Amino acid sequence: MRTVEPWVTEPLERFLAESSARLTLLMTSAGQVVAQHGFTRSVDVMTAAALGAAIMASTGEIAKLVGESNFLSLAHQGAKQHVFLSAFETPRGRWIGLVVFDAESTVGLVQLFFERLVKELAAAAPKQVPEQQVLPENFERELNASLRALFGR
Amino acid sequence: MSLVNFAAREITCKIVYYGPGRSGKTTNLQYIFGRVPESRRGRMVSLATHTDRTLFFDFLPLDLGSISGFATKFQLYTVPGQSYYASTRKLVLQGADGVVFVADSQARRLDDNLESLQDLQTNLLTQNIDIRQLPVVFQYNKQDLPGDLILSPPELDDALNFREVQSFSADALHGGGVFETLKGISELVLRRLAAAEPTA
């Protein structure tokens, strides 16, 4: 499991154990990954987050069209695997959960434990955001080297 | 907005390629996808119509490697250019850290470029973002076409680039200017992150 902020870890571990989910992804509404469990390649995680955020964003627009405030959760049924998607508010803004599960679980169980996860995250979030330095000002040389390596130049 | 994971020392930035339909936004991503080693990129996702016009977005995740001790990842998105898809453009733009405006250099497309630029400003404003506060670069694509069909980069700068931000001449189909454009926007986005008040 990987999480951006440590306070997410414990509630997410509990959710994974209780729901028997195969893959779980928490992301911001813009598709940035906050926490994930089960994916092996970070670039695949980013793709799943981008698509999950897009589904929720377009569903939200359809909700507006039909006069709903929002559709907060969605479930997609597959032959062997299923996907549960849900948007929720946190002290860090709106997040989205994407859960992949199989015959080990059910959409009802996933939804039940996901609602508990949302409550636990709200309770666990620290009120203060710690201040930390991001990048030094002289990062350009390393950026240029990285981009040159990326393009083989 | 960039996501910084201090525990794992990771930075993830979202860059959106914007511009009128058929200006070459998807072509930019396809060229990057083709040139970058597989280990440094994810699969390119294209949500397109049966005629290959972008319906929702194209998406390409890139792993830039370590910069100042941070594992740095970029998420490249394109928006659908056709005016019909205005609502999806707005969604893709949400949370963007930087924008590459891909203009079609053909003289007959100047009005389309202007309309798309205006659309970009409007969509940013609905998210309370002033375009002057966001890292933006211009790419003047299709500069390989015959001279009598296109406007020169200085002419396009006069017509579109009111803020005099960085602009790049390009032939995205053959890769000309693609790398330079990505480098330009990457520097702006990361420089903004470096200049920002320390935060989480």
Side-chain angles (χ1 to χ4, degrees):
Chain A
M1 183 196 299
R2 284 174 75 86
T3 57
V4 170
E5 296 190 55
W7 54 269
V8 176
T9 306
E10 210 179 298
L12 188 56
E13 277 176 347
R14 208 163 19 250
F15 168 75
L16 291 164
E18 290 174 333
S19 68
S20 302
R22 280 194 56 237
L23 307 169
T24 301
L25 190 53
L26 299 181
M27 67 201 92
T28 67
S29 55
Q32 299 275 33
V33 180
V34 178
Q36 76 95 357
H37 165 82
F39 289 88
T40 48
R41 288 185 77 208
S42 64
V43 282
D44 290 340
V45 182
M46 285 198 276
T47 303
L51 292 170
I55 292 169
M56 291 311 288
S58 55
T59 307
E61 291 299 308
I62 292 173
K64 279 186 206 162
L65 281 178
V66 300
E68 262 302 325
S69 58
N70 211 339
F71 297 122
L72 287 178
S73 61
L74 300 167
H76 298 304
Q77 186 177 5
K80 290 180 181 164
Q81 299 186 85
H82 323 288
V83 173
F84 173 81
L85 268 162
S86 184
F88 58 100
E89 298 299 329
T90 78
R92 299 282 191 271
R94 172 167 281 222
W95 285 5
I96 294 164
L98 185 155
V99 183
V100 180
F101 60 99
D102 56 20
E104 297 287 308
S105 192
T106 65
V107 67
L109 273 181
V110 169
Q111 183 159 7
L112 177 74
F113 290 119
F114 195 85
E115 283 168 10
R116 189 187 295 175
L117 170 67
V118 170
K119 284 184 190 150
E120 290 184 359
L121 286 174
K127 301 285 174 282
Q128 296 290 323
V129 177
E131 289 192 352
Q132 296 194 56
Q133 183 66 45
V134 182
L135 279 177
E137 285 181 16
N138 56 349
F139 65 88
E140 275 98 342
R141 204 177 50 181
E142 287 186 47
L143 170 67
N144 288 338
S146 289
L147 287 170
R148 273 198 302 273
L150 208 60
F151 277 79
R153 292 187 176 194
Chain B
M1 208 178 123
S2 310
L3 196 77
V4 183
N5 182 346
F6 287 101
R9 296 190 71 76
E10 280 178 0
I11 293 173
T12 311
C13 301
K14 176 174 180 176
I15 293 173
V16 177
Y17 284 68
Y18 210 95
R22 296 176 185 264
S23 64
K25 302 175 291 295
T26 301
T27 310
N28 265 271
L29 260 64
Q30 283 169 336
Y31 183 81
I32 294 167
F33 179 80
R35 287 295 301 266
V36 169
E38 205 181 334
S39 60
R40 304 289 290 276
R41 54 143 169 94
R43 77 181 66 157
M44 181 168 161
V45 173
S46 287
L47 304 181
T49 65
H50 65 284
T51 52
D52 277 348
R53 307 266 41 101
T54 304
L55 172 65
F56 201 154
F57 57 79
D58 306 301
F59 174 76
L60 176 61
L62 280 186
D63 182 350
L64 265 69
S66 177
I67 294 169
S68 299
F70 280 86
T72 306
K73 298 182 172 72
F74 276 11
Q75 300 169 322
L76 309 185
Y77 287 78
T78 69
V79 296
Q82 282 69 19
S83 44
Y84 181 75
Y85 298 117
S87 56
T88 52
R89 264 198 302 280
K90 207 169 4 178
L91 296 179
V92 177
L93 203 54
Q94 193 185 341
D97 296 301
V99 171
V100 173
F101 188 88
V102 182
D104 189 327
S105 297
Q106 294 180 88
R108 65 181 177 86
R109 300 293 312 276
L110 183 59
D111 285 348
D112 296 331
N113 290 325
L114 283 164
E115 191 184 324
S116 177
L117 189 57
Q118 218 156 31
D119 179 67
L120 170 64
Q121 287 175 337
T122 307
N123 285 337
L124 286 172
L125 273 178
T126 61
Q127 296 172 33
N128 295 320
I129 297 167
D130 183 340
I131 194 169
R132 290 169 298 188
Q133 308 299 321
L134 187 73
V136 176
V137 300
F138 282 84
Q139 183 189 76
Y140 302 138
N141 194 22
K142 307 187 186 178
Q143 283 289 318
D144 55 312
L145 291 177
D148 55 339
L149 295 181
I150 58 170
L151 298 174
S152 67
E155 286 171 324
L156 285 160
D157 268 337
D158 281 346
L160 302 170
N161 191 0
F162 311 118
R163 285 174 52 213
E164 298 181 352
V165 298
Q166 274 184 293
S167 61
F168 302 90
S169 171
D171 161 20
L173 195 59
H174 304 102
V178 171
F179 169 75
E180 290 76 8
T181 306
L182 180 61
K183 184 168 170 287
I185 192 67
S186 306
E187 276 179 6
L188 285 182
V189 166
L190 292 177
R191 196 175 294 143
R192 191 183 190 218
L193 203 58
E197 289 296 311
T199 182

